[in-house]
């Protein structure tokens, strides 16, 4: 039995002992004697008798232990452009001043603060400042439309909103104040204050109710950390949907701190002094967990990048960061690697940089196709790990645990369930399925530390959304299977399963077949209505730079690839070559939106869309398909 198997079985057999050992990674004001409290199941509590401050764990303790001069944060902006770095001492002092400013504005333990900022250091310092004084932060992705921002303000009811005057994107500058003004006008809740950070690129005209960051923060009396219960809320993070009230995932403090600290060692093999670059945004869960909290909890250096490290024709921007800062581990989305592969298929840009510091590449966010996995593995010469988790879970459910026990890579697999996550695959009736058979992925309760406690202000919706369909289990909404070796294959969302003449087929399996073609950079498959079979798969492919195949020949080769790898049952015969796929700003392809268009529905366009013009052009393709 390997180390992973021992840890995994131990975590499920005796979670109290397992997680109390993991809790030793954290400094406690009151050390917990109990790990799991299930008295109010399914509202489980972790470390109910523990008290701590997560900001003190992320900053102060490293300074107190003599590591104040170690680099904590590197900020690199391709948009300004500018670069800044902070030692642990400098970051602690800055966070303490921001915390003091918030306290001076009346923010205290349990109060909410909405953070509406781009990828700048002040976003990170504000989040940690809230944690320092026991306040609850709710970060809203910078540039969200007024309606979405208003819904989050209305639900969280913040005492203070902290914003920046603008966000800077490769092709435009987004003024935040008009968006915020409109959102506040739409919301029934009015915060006591709005603290505005002025950026030189575009300064805002501050009216009534606004305070200037530069006048409030520098003169604030620094605040000391406030110990809170491990079960007290740390943040609310709203899941992005196209319709209805957003779901505010509520995260606790102690369980989250323990899980993240444990994951940095066991999964990512990242420790004090290592440089960790998560290519995401603080507005997403990946940014919360692995830009802000996890790297700092273990004393590592976190890289915060403003801009798009993958551009055309500059595919080398990504590798410049690795070389310049000595990055050990990258965590990004498959989309980023596919974009690099598209413009630099022979990895010539990569060869121009020294990336010998890089030890591993972790990918998550959507399914990693085998062809991209192979390209990245060969180009970089380091292990490439696909791993899987969700906003609700806060940290990985399945991964290749590089620090615990590195395991062989299987293309298409997120490797194995991580200790703490009792992953099962069931049919529609909740019955367990044998190895190799695809079904719905569920997780037996209780969820481990770090997972959502509930939904903010809506326990009923929490139970109905996640715990009702399969009693005793958390319903992930993803489909997949576990093979004979215990590897988990996540094939896609359950609403991405196509029912073709009674046969259930994953879009992920068909996409994997399309991605094997040497001319394909990326692809998406959706189900479209068919008079005979109910639904049939329809493919959309983006070609690599320089690929100029005959389109009729290419379509025939792609159809043949699906027939070869999936079988005739897929009934795959239609594919379109398109210049780009519509995505969210975090890189997820908008399959559901495209499927709605193909079915003739008036599908709402998510506020998180990267480029609406791409979806406009795809709409024509989908409506005019054969």
């Amino acid at each position: 039995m390997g180390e992973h198997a021992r840890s995994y079985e131990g975590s499920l057999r005796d979670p109290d002992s397992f997680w109390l050992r993991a809790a030793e990674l954290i400094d406690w004001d009151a050390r917990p004697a109990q790990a799991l409290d299930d008295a109010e199941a399914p509202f489980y509590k972790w470390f109910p008798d523990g008290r701590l401050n997560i900001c003190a764990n992320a900053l102060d303790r490293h300074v107190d232990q003599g590591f104040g001069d170690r680099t904590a944060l590197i900020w690199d902006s391709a948009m300004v452009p500018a670069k800044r770095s902070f030692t642990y001492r400098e970051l602690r002092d800055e966070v303490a001043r921001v915390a003091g400013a918030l306290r001076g504005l009346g923010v205290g333990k349990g109060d909410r603060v909405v953070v509406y900022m781009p990828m700048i250091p002040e976003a990170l310092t504000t989040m940690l400042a809230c944690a320092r004084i026991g306040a609850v932060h709710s970060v809203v992705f910078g540039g969200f439309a007024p309606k979405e921002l208003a819904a989050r303000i209305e639900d969280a009811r913040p005492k203070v909103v902290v914003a920046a005057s603008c966000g800077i994107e490769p092709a435009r500058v987004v003024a935040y104040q008009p968006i915020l003004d409109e959102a506040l006008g739409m919301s029934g809740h009015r915060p006591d204050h709005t603290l505005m950070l002025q950026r030189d690129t575009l300064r805002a005209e501050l009216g009534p109710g606004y305070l200037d960051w530069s006048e409030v923060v520098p003169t604030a009396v620094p605040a000391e950390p406030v110990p809170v219960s491990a079960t007290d809320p740390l943040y609310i993070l709203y899941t992005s949907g196209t319709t209805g009230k957003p779901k505010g995932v509520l995260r606790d403090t102690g369980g989250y701190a323990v899980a993240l600290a444990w994951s940095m060692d066991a999964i990512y093999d990242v420790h004090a002094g290592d440089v960790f670059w998560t290519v995401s945004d603080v507005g997403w869960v990946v940014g919360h967990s692995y830009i802000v909290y996890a790297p700092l909890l273990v004393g590592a250096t976190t890289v915060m990048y403003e801009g798009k490290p993958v551009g055309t024709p500059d595919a080398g921007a990504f590798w410049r960061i690795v070389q310049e800062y000595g990055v050990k581990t990258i965590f990004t989305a498959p989309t980023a690697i596919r974009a690099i592969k598209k413009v630099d298929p022979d990895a010539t840009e990569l060869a121009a940089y020294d990336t010998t510091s890089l030890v591993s590449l972790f990918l998550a966010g959507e399914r990693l196709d085998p062809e991209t996995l192979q390209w990245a593995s060969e180009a970089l010469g380091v292990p490439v790990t696909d791993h899987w988790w969700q906003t609700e879970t806060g940290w990985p459910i399945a991964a290749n645990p590089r620090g615990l026990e590195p395991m062989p890579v299987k293309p298409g697999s997120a490797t194995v369930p991580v200790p703490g996550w009792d992953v099962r695959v069931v049919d529609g009736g909740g019955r367990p399925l044998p190895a190799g058979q695809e079904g719905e992925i569920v997780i037996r309760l209780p969820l481990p530390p770090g997972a959502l406690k509930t939904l903010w202000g809506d326990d009923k919706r929490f139970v109905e959304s996640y715990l009702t369909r399969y009693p005793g289990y958390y319903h992930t909404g993803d489909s997949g299977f576990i093979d004979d070796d215990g590897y988990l294959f996540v094939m896609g969302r359950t609403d991405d399963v196509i029912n073709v003449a009674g046969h259930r087929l994953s879009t992920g399996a068909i996409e994997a077949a399309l991605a094997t073609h040497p001319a394909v950079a990326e692809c998406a498959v959706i189900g479209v209505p068919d008079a005979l079979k109910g639904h049939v798969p329809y493919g959309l492919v983006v070609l690599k730079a320089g690929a100029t195949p005959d389109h009729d020949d290419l379509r025939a080769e792609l159809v043949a690839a699906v027939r070869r790898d999936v079988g005739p049952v897929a009934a795959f015969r239609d594919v379109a070559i398109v210049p780009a796929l519509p995505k969210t700003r975090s890189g997820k392809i908008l399959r559901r939106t495209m499927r709605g268009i193909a079915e003739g529905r008036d599908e709402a366009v998510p506020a998180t869309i990267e480029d609406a013009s791409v979806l406009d052009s795809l709409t024509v393709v989908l409506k005019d398909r054969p």
Side-chain angles (χ1 to χ4, degrees):
M1 183 181 291
E3 185 59 34
H4 168 265
R6 281 193 293 271
S7 295
Y8 187 72
E9 292 186 9
S11 72
L12 302 187
R13 183 181 62 254
D14 188 1
D16 260 80
S17 296
F18 182 90
W19 289 112
L20 283 174
R21 286 194 301 271
E24 295 174 4
L25 298 168
I26 296 300
D27 285 356
W28 300 85
D29 292 88
R31 184 171 294 278
Q34 178 185 6
L36 176 63
D37 178 0
D38 59 0
E40 299 177 17
F43 301 97
Y44 297 95
K45 298 177 182 178
W46 286 98
F47 313 111
D49 54 342
R51 292 184 66 78
L52 76 160
N53 185 278
I54 196 171
C55 176
N57 272 273
L59 300 175
D60 300 63
R61 69 167 169 165
H62 304 306
V63 179
D64 295 342
Q65 291 169 2
F67 302 111
D69 293 332
R70 179 186 294 155
T71 302
L73 169 66
I74 296 170
W75 177 66
D76 190 303
S77 173
M79 299 293 96
V80 177
K83 300 173 186 178
R84 293 174 64 188
S85 64
F86 300 77
T87 66
Y88 269 92
R89 181 177 292 105
E90 290 168 340
L91 190 58
R92 179 203 60 182
D93 293 348
E94 181 63 20
V95 167
R97 278 191 292 272
V98 178
L102 292 174
R103 188 177 57 188
L105 297 178
V107 176
K109 183 175 179 291
D111 290 331
R112 276 80 60 206
V113 175
V114 164
V115 182
Y116 187 59
M117 305 181 96
M119 284 288 285
I120 53 177
E122 290 81 3
L124 180 146
T125 58
T126 301
M127 294 167 69
L128 289 168
C130 291
R132 193 172 187 84
I133 58 176
V136 181
H137 61 71
S138 183
V139 181
V140 180
F141 181 82
F144 248 24
K147 181 180 178 181
E148 285 73 28
L149 178 57
R152 287 150 176 78
I153 292 173
E154 179 79 27
D155 194 59
R157 306 186 70 78
K159 180 160 284 190
V160 170
V161 172
V162 182
S165 58
C166 70
I168 310 170
E169 299 180 2
R172 60 176 181 157
V173 175
V174 181
Y176 283 4
Q177 186 184 14
I179 298 173
L180 182 54
D181 285 343
E182 187 175 347
L184 291 172
M186 297 168 66
S187 171
H189 173 79
R190 192 82 182 185
D192 293 349
H193 303 281
T194 300
L195 185 60
M196 179 69 74
L197 175 78
Q198 297 278 22
R199 303 193 73 184
D200 291 337
T201 303
L202 180 65
R203 301 179 67 85
E205 294 292 332
L206 303 184
Y210 282 91
L211 298 171
D212 192 313
W213 176 288
S214 66
E215 297 175 359
V216 175
V217 173
T219 58
V221 177
E224 292 299 313
V226 174
V228 300
S229 170
T231 60
D232 281 344
L234 174 64
Y235 66 75
I236 305 165
L237 181 58
Y238 289 93
T239 58
S240 55
T242 56
T243 59
K245 178 183 175 183
K247 293 185 292 188
V249 169
L250 186 64
R251 195 84 66 208
D252 70 1
T253 301
Y256 188 57
V258 170
L260 291 187
W262 183 87
S263 75
M264 288 298 282
D265 175 31
I267 298 174
Y268 299 101
D269 192 25
V270 170
H271 308 94
D274 291 337
V275 181
F276 190 72
W277 182 24
T278 296
V279 191
S280 183
D281 190 282
V282 293
W284 312 127
V285 68
V286 171
H288 279 56
S289 293
Y290 293 107
I291 295 177
V292 180
Y293 286 106
L296 299 177
L297 283 170
V298 300
T301 299
T302 184
V303 178
M304 186 180 195
Y305 186 88
E306 184 185 29
K308 290 190 177 300
V310 181
T312 302
D314 183 12
F318 208 90
W319 314 122
R320 189 267 301 174
I321 298 289
V322 176
Q323 173 181 284
E324 187 167 341
Y325 303 122
V327 173
K328 176 183 178 181
T329 303
I330 297 175
F331 178 175
T332 188
T335 298
I337 304 303
R338 283 194 290 263
I340 294 173
K341 178 166 64 77
K342 179 183 177 181
V343 299
D344 187 25
D346 298 324
T348 53
E349 289 284 348
L350 171 60
Y353 293 87
D354 179 2
T355 59
T356 53
S357 65
L358 192 65
V359 171
S360 57
L361 170 65
F362 283 82
L363 302 172
E366 61 178 354
R367 191 169 182 272
L368 172 61
D369 58 281
E371 204 272 339
T372 298
L373 169 64
Q374 180 180 354
W375 183 90
S377 299
E378 293 176 353
L380 291 170
V382 302
V384 177
T385 295
D386 184 18
H387 64 325
W388 169 65
W389 50 298
Q390 301 176 329
T391 298
E392 291 84 353
T393 69
W395 60 289
I397 303 169
N400 190 327
R402 303 299 309 171
L404 189 63
E405 181 189 3
M407 308 183 80
V409 173
K410 289 190 180 184
S413 171
T415 322
V416 291
V418 170
W421 301 97
D422 191 351
V423 178
R424 313 285 181 89
V425 176
V426 300
D427 65 14
R431 292 174 290 272
L433 292 172
Q437 188 168 332
E438 184 175 344
E440 298 214 36
I441 303 174
V442 297
I443 302 169
R444 189 170 68 90
L445 300 177
L447 299 181
L452 79 168
K453 289 181 59 174
T454 184
L455 296 177
W456 171 254
D458 205 339
D459 289 346
K460 180 181 178 183
R461 191 180 183 192
F462 165 66
V463 173
E464 291 176 347
S465 297
Y466 303 108
L467 310 181
T468 300
R469 183 167 181 177
Y470 299 104
Y473 293 87
Y474 166 83
H475 180 217
T476 69
D478 281 299
S479 69
F481 64 91
I482 298 174
D483 73 5
D484 290 327
D485 296 325
Y487 278 59
L488 177 66
F489 290 73
V490 182
M491 304 307 293
R493 300 295 293 172
T494 52
D495 55 8
D496 285 333
V497 173
I498 306 172
N499 194 323
V500 181
H503 298 282
R504 290 170 58 82
L505 299 171
S506 293
T507 58
I510 302 172
E511 289 173 1
L514 296 178
T516 62
H517 195 285
V520 173
E522 60 180 348
C523 59
V525 173
I526 60 173
V528 297
D530 181 81
L532 179 61
K533 298 180 181 295
H535 283 83
V536 292
Y538 184 73
L540 299 154
V541 301
V542 179
L543 302 184
K544 293 178 181 176
T548 57
D550 178 86
H551 283 195
D552 290 337
D553 289 345
L554 177 62
R555 289 187 179 95
E557 290 166 2
L558 293 172
V559 170
V562 173
R563 186 179 183 90
R564 178 196 66 215
D565 293 350
V566 182
V569 68
F572 182 79
R573 56 180 179 270
D574 291 329
V575 60
I577 291 88
V578 297
L581 295 172
K583 301 172 184 174
T584 66
R585 291 173 182 171
S586 62
K588 292 186 178 180
I589 297 171
L590 297 173
R591 292 175 178 83
R592 182 171 65 179
T593 302
M594 290 192 293
R595 188 171 60 248
I597 294 169
E599 293 177 352
R601 299 196 306 268
D602 291 330
E603 193 73 16
V605 178
T608 55
I609 190 168
E610 173 66 34
D611 185 349
S613 65
V614 173
L615 186 58
D616 291 341
S617 64
L618 260 294
T619 299
V620 176
V621 172
L622 293 170
K623 289 186 175 180
D624 292 347
R625 71 182 188 279

